Amino acid sequence: MAAIEETVHEPVAAKNEFAVENPATGEVIAHCPDLGAEAIAAMAKRGREVQPAWEALGFEGRARILKRMQKWVIDHQEEIIAVIRSETGKTYEDALIAEISYGAAAFGFWATNAEKYLADEKVKSSAILVKGKKLLLRYRPLGLVGVIGPWNYPLTNSFGDCVPALAAGNAVILKPSEITPLTSLKLAEGLKECGIPDGVFQVATGLGATGAALVDQVDMIMFTGSTATGKKVMAKAAETLTPVSLELGGKDPMIVLADADVERAANTALYYGMLNGGQTCISVERVYVEEPVYDAFVAKVTEKARALRQGTGAAGSVDVGSMTFPPQVDIVERHVEDAKAKGATVLVGGSRGKKSDPTHPGYWYEPTILVDVDHTMSAMTEETFGPTLPIMKVRDEEEAIRLANDSPYGLGASVFGKDTKHAEAVARRVEAGAVCVNDALVNYSALELPMGGAKASGLGSRHGAGGIRKYCQQQAILVTRFATKKDPHMYPYSAKMTARLGKFFSFLYGRGNRD
Ligand code: NAD
């Protein structure tokens, strides 16, 4: 198993501010403040001041604002897409499908479902001492939640976590990635227009140190990013015993069984390998294909990959965009060069630069298909996070499962086979937080279905009941009603009564132990 790369990159910043680039052109498009610990402490104070009123607004009051925001996202989608594209270099479709549609759905989903997931739960107990009493489990908001986001999906990742935290009644401070802060600032404008009270949602722009300062100030930290930074966040949070939820990196395998629909498997591998330029935490990062269908699968993927259009064009004109984070191009290049040096064959692409326009400015890597790969190569063991698809031939499904699990990561996975019962049995043996059969990634759009990483891919999950309860303190309530005239809690017990109680308990609980 390969060790996880510990490199964390940060751009060089001017004093107290940092530049934001359009990665498709390399041009600087904005500067944002690099907020320090003092500013974060002031924001935290503000958030704490306004949170009780936000909580008191109740589910309905909060839902009204979040639903207005759902409409706002749809009404302003072209503007938002333009901002997202300007700081990420992704295609129009990548911004529309994986950001706008998810973001709008999330505002509506949590507005509608928060109350259901957080309603008081009646608890029944067999304990004799609580007979006749009311026992409840309730979920109260933690207070101030800090969300730290990555650069690959500035809307989906960051707001996918902020919205349930807000719906639960928390104030939220979002620290977006310094590579893509503009989308968060745009959405903050929207929330303000939709009537969110001042200070309930705040955006703290800054570098890594700003994120570290946020960890010190909040009641819970929701972190999405690399495994290396996730470990630092968890260590920092341990100093103040602040709860954390971590959504980290992955190296998602796809297994193509001998009875797979090869056309469907090839389409899915390519689409979800190249989606967002391969910069998706649950991208298809490596493929294992059983021998009988290997040649057919490789031929189809190669043909389709050659036809991919790469660029910055209007809707419908390009398939793959630029890389978002400049140092990521170096990582992709290192993985491809390492694979080539160890015997891999490049069937498509294989170079940095934009396909069919290698001198184009900005940060680009060609859509790339690799074969003759194995687990001595970093392309098969480390997160590449780029438009590469390495394909490996395997003898049988046992070898495929063994290799799929030969990874420190365990985020997502997929299995292809027409015998779906059998494919599901294979899926259940893959060590991953989510596995799709005859599909990939779409599970992420089902907000009812929990999504979280196994192994070094994370801690906790988003979506479903757990995706909002993590922003709450679980509180047990016991209420003694005055239904009986005599209060049984009289002190002190007499020796006679204690002896009687002892006999009663041994009779009651001893029964269960008889043969
Ligand atoms: P990163 O870890 O470099 O940065 C993430 C965020 O952490 C940024 O906002 C950064 O400023 C901040 N940060 C850096 N140092 C910090 C510190 N010491 N304390 C607190 N915050 C700090 O990650 P990235 O490069 O922005 O994102 C790419 C990674 O994110 C990939 O590994 C990808 O797989 C992962 N990711 C995971 C998911 C998921 O749901 N599991 C989703 C998207 C991305």
Side-chain angles (χ1 to χ4, degrees):
M1 252 175 10
I4 293 167
E5 211 197 341
E6 293 289 332
T7 336
V8 178
H9 305 268
E10 281 194 352
V12 180
K15 200 163 183 278
N16 297 333
E17 67 173 25
F18 60 94
V20 182
E21 272 183 352
N22 179 336
T25 62
E27 285 163 353
V28 171
I29 52 171
H31 288 88
C32 288
D34 180 18
L35 298 180
E38 223 173 280
I40 296 296
M43 290 171 90
K45 186 166 173 285
R46 179 82 188 118
R48 289 188 191 286
E49 279 164 5
V50 297
Q51 185 273 332
W54 177 244
E55 181 181 350
L57 207 54
F59 289 109
E60 254 186 68
R62 295 193 293 271
R64 257 197 306 279
I65 293 169
L66 297 177
K67 281 194 174 151
R68 253 182 246 149
M69 187 59 188
Q70 179 180 38
K71 183 169 180 315
W72 190 92
V73 169
I74 298 300
D75 290 347
H76 294 77
Q77 61 176 290
E78 293 308 321
E79 282 166 54
I80 304 170
I81 287 174
V83 174
I84 293 175
R85 293 190 73 191
S86 73
E87 62 179 356
T88 62
K90 61 180 76 185
T91 65
Y92 182 93
E93 286 75 11
D94 284 346
L96 177 73
I97 297 165
E99 301 255 41
I100 298 291
S101 82
Y102 177 95
F107 279 106
F109 178 82
W110 293 112
T112 308
N113 291 292
E115 187 167 10
K116 180 183 85 184
Y117 287 136
L118 301 183
D120 286 359
E121 289 172 21
K122 277 193 184 154
V123 175
K124 284 191 180 154
S125 169
S126 61
I128 195 84
L129 291 179
V130 300
K131 276 283 172 263
K133 295 173 196 288
K134 182 166 98 171
L135 305 180
L136 281 184
L137 186 58
R138 71 168 285 228
Y139 300 94
R140 62 185 299 207
L142 284 165
L144 180 64
V145 169
V147 175
I148 300 178
W151 46 259
N152 57 333
Y153 285 101
L155 198 169
T156 289
N157 278 136
S158 298
F159 286 85
D161 292 324
C162 291
V163 181
L166 288 168
N170 296 286
V172 170
I173 299 177
L174 165 63
K175 204 305 265 176
S177 167
E178 58 274 33
I179 309 301
T180 55
L182 306 181
T183 305
S184 297
L185 294 169
K186 179 80 190 161
L187 274 262
E189 275 172 31
L191 276 162
K192 201 167 174 203
E193 263 181 51
C194 292
I196 198 159
D198 222 28
V200 167
F201 175 74
Q202 302 174 83
V203 177
T205 55
L207 308 183
T210 308
L214 185 61
V215 177
D216 285 338
Q217 293 292 340
V218 293
D219 300 312
M220 187 269 183
I221 198 85
M222 173 65 233
F223 173 83
T224 305
S226 64
T227 299
T229 310
K231 285 180 188 171
K232 288 186 190 170
V233 167
M234 193 166 172
K236 185 109 184 81
E239 291 170 15
T240 46
L241 275 186
T242 302
V244 292
S245 187
L246 306 173
E247 297 290 344
L248 308 176
K251 187 73 190 169
D252 291 11
M254 173 188 277
I255 295 176
V256 182
L257 299 170
D259 70 336
D261 178 328
V262 176
E263 177 76 21
R264 184 176 176 85
N267 281 334
T268 312
L270 198 64
Y271 184 72
Y272 290 116
M274 301 297 159
L275 176 80
N276 207 36
Q279 304 160 108
T280 304
C281 53
I282 43 177
S283 286
V284 177
E285 280 253 340
R286 54 197 168 118
V287 189
Y288 303 98
V289 189
E290 276 198 279
E291 218 163 353
V293 287
Y294 175 81
D295 289 341
F297 179 84
V298 170
K300 278 191 188 295
V301 168
T302 305
E303 185 197 332
K304 292 168 194 290
R306 286 203 177 111
L308 289 174
R309 303 158 299 171
Q310 191 178 30
T312 52
S317 68
V318 287
D319 305 304
V320 182
S322 75
M323 302 290 296
T324 299
F325 184 41
Q328 201 66 39
V329 188
D330 301 333
I331 296 174
V332 177
E333 184 175 50
R334 180 165 60 72
H335 286 191
V336 173
E337 294 308 317
D338 169 69
K340 275 159 64 180
K342 290 172 179 160
T345 307
V346 178
L347 294 181
V348 182
S351 300
R352 53 190 306 150
K354 183 169 163 248
K355 186 181 174 185
S356 70
D357 185 5
T359 58
H360 193 281
Y363 307 100
W364 298 83
Y365 201 92
E366 293 179 325
T368 296
I369 307 297
L370 294 167
V371 291
D372 305 324
V373 290
D374 61 40
H375 277 217
T376 63
M377 303 168 186
S378 46
M380 292 299 280
T381 55
E382 291 175 26
E383 186 179 47
T384 306
F385 224 56
T388 58
L389 194 67
I391 309 169
M392 182 171 174
K393 189 195 290 186
V394 290
R395 257 188 331 273
D396 53 27
E397 72 187 43
E398 287 307 317
E399 188 181 15
I401 295 166
R402 181 178 61 74
L403 290 169
N405 290 338
D406 177 29
S407 171
Y409 294 112
L411 198 52
S414 54
V415 178
F416 282 75
K418 282 192 192 132
D419 178 349
T420 52
K421 211 169 155 195
H422 178 70
E424 187 185 329
V426 172
R428 284 168 181 266
R429 293 177 62 195
V430 179
E431 295 161 358
V435 193
C436 293
V437 172
N438 294 323
D439 221 323
L441 269 82
V442 281
N443 60 295
Y444 201 87
S445 65
L447 296 172
E448 300 79 359
L449 190 62
M451 168 73 214
K455 294 156 75 174
S457 288
L459 204 65
S461 63
R462 48 167 73 105
H463 302 165
I468 188 163
R469 288 181 184 165
K470 68 184 174 186
Y471 299 120
C472 297
Q473 172 70 51
Q474 191 176 285
Q475 185 179 47
I477 305 273
L478 178 149
V479 178
T480 303
R481 299 186 191 92
F482 292 95
T484 51
K485 288 209 176 84
K486 275 192 183 171
D487 186 346
H489 293 111
M490 46 200 182
Y491 284 98
Y493 292 119
S494 66
K496 198 169 156 194
M497 186 176 170
T498 306
R500 270 192 195 160
L501 270 175
K503 276 188 189 157
F504 176 66
F505 286 134
S506 64
F507 167 72
L508 192 72
Y509 301 127
R511 277 186 314 180
N513 297 330
R514 290 193 199 126
D515 291 335

